[in-house]
Amino acid sequence: MKFYTEENALIVHSGHETLRIEPWGQDSLRVRATLNPELEPGDWILTRPEAARADIDLEGPVARITNGHLQARVGEAGVLTFYKDGRQILHEFRRNYN
């Protein structure tokens, strides 16, 4: 599992999967994933929200990206969890983590 930042986004590489999480307007995050080394070029959006700046923390075994009241965390196993004001609101479930 490799975490890094690119253009105000959190990028996660795990095996053949690439995950990109970026601020998307106020208190919102956009999540895109692909089984390719890179995401398809282009935004593939209908409208663009106003620009937002995220806080990204890559320290330790968990990467975090925070935009306003919303935070996403990706752990060592690649599990994605969302928090609003510090309270867990969505947790990814998958039967077999590598």
Side-chain angles (χ1 to χ4, degrees), residues 14 18 39 44 62 80:
S14 176
T18 302
L39 289 165
W44 301 99
V62 176
L80 180 59

Side-chain angles (χ1 to χ4, degrees), residues 23-26 45 47-52:
W24 203 249
Q26 183 180 359
I45 58 172
T47 61
R48 178 172 298 283
E50 31 176 284

